[in-house]
Amino acid sequence: METQREPKSWAMLAIYGPKLRPEEISERLAIDADYFHSRDTKDIQNEPLDPHWQLNSKLSPESPLNDHIWELLKRVAPVRRELKEITAKHDACFYASVEFAGVHTKGIRLEKRVMLLLGELGINLEILPWEGEDFQN
């Protein structure tokens, strides 16, 4: 009998909002963003985008989602007080991309301590599922 494998996953921490200044976030947290854009950035309809500051998980897609989130939480742990002050003023979210559960793929279960820390830091979690190549109805 074949066992189920962990779903492929990835995560990032995003801080965004109309009054956000990405360079101030990097300075305040003493962490360089993996990606950011200012209020001068436009979408494909030439509309301005809200400023955005982002950290990406460095783990492989085969790593469990909890590991991706922990990797990011460890990076911001030394500046968690500053991060909490920032999330009180700007929107913050962990975006997680995960493969749909299926016959060969487990579902996602977040650890209690992960959920507790995210709430304490004022960070939302949004899970964006995608269909894996071996997903079958």
Side-chain angles (χ1 to χ4, degrees), residues 1 29 35 58 84-85 98 132:
M1 182 169 159
L29 298 179
Y35 171 81
K58 305 289 187 200
K84 193 170 178 178
E85 290 171 6
V98 296

Short mmCIF file of all heavy atoms in Angstrom, two decimals, residues 1 29 35 58 84-85 98 132:
data_model
loop_
_atom_site.label_atom_id
_atom_site.label_comp_id
_atom_site.label_asym_id
_atom_site.label_seq_id
_atom_site.Cartn_x
_atom_site.Cartn_y
_atom_site.Cartn_z
N MET A 1 0.84 -1.19 0.00
CA MET A 1 0.00 0.00 0.00
C MET A 1 0.88 1.25 0.00
O MET A 1 1.80 1.37 0.79
CB MET A 1 -0.89 -0.01 1.24
CG MET A 1 -1.83 1.15 1.30
SD MET A 1 -3.04 0.88 2.61
CE MET A 1 -3.54 2.53 2.85
N LEU A 29 13.23 46.66 10.32
CA LEU A 29 13.43 45.26 10.68
C LEU A 29 14.88 44.81 10.51
O LEU A 29 15.23 43.71 10.94
CB LEU A 29 12.52 44.36 9.84
CG LEU A 29 11.01 44.57 10.00
CD1 LEU A 29 10.25 43.62 9.09
CD2 LEU A 29 10.57 44.42 11.45
N TYR A 35 11.61 40.81 -2.18
CA TYR A 35 10.93 41.53 -3.25
C TYR A 35 10.21 42.72 -2.62
O TYR A 35 9.71 42.63 -1.50
CB TYR A 35 9.91 40.62 -3.96
CG TYR A 35 9.04 41.39 -4.93
CD1 TYR A 35 9.50 41.71 -6.20
CD2 TYR A 35 7.78 41.84 -4.56
CE1 TYR A 35 8.72 42.45 -7.09
CE2 TYR A 35 7.00 42.57 -5.43
CZ TYR A 35 7.47 42.87 -6.69
OH TYR A 35 6.71 43.61 -7.55
N LYS A 58 12.86 30.09 1.83
CA LYS A 58 14.04 29.62 1.09
C LYS A 58 14.03 28.09 0.96
O LYS A 58 14.94 27.51 0.38
CB LYS A 58 15.33 30.04 1.79
CG LYS A 58 15.44 31.53 2.05
CD LYS A 58 15.65 32.31 0.80
CE LYS A 58 15.93 33.77 1.15
NZ LYS A 58 15.70 34.66 0.07
N LYS A 84 5.42 43.58 14.99
CA LYS A 84 4.07 43.74 15.55
C LYS A 84 3.61 45.21 15.45
O LYS A 84 2.46 45.48 15.14
CB LYS A 84 4.03 43.26 17.00
CG LYS A 84 2.65 43.10 17.54
CD LYS A 84 2.66 42.40 18.87
CE LYS A 84 1.26 42.30 19.41
NZ LYS A 84 1.20 41.59 20.67
N GLU A 85 4.52 46.14 15.68
CA GLU A 85 4.18 47.57 15.52
C GLU A 85 3.85 47.88 14.06
O GLU A 85 2.92 48.65 13.77
CB GLU A 85 5.33 48.45 16.01
CG GLU A 85 5.52 48.40 17.51
CD GLU A 85 6.79 49.10 17.98
OE1 GLU A 85 7.48 49.74 17.14
OE2 GLU A 85 7.10 49.01 19.18
N VAL A 98 -0.17 25.83 -1.86
CA VAL A 98 -0.09 24.40 -1.55
C VAL A 98 -0.81 23.58 -2.61
O VAL A 98 -1.79 24.02 -3.20
CB VAL A 98 -0.69 24.06 -0.16
CG1 VAL A 98 0.10 24.69 0.95
CG2 VAL A 98 -2.14 24.45 -0.08
N GLY A 132 -2.12 19.63 -8.31
CA GLY A 132 -0.87 18.96 -8.67
C GLY A 132 -1.03 18.12 -9.93
O GLY A 132 -2.14 17.79 -10.34
#
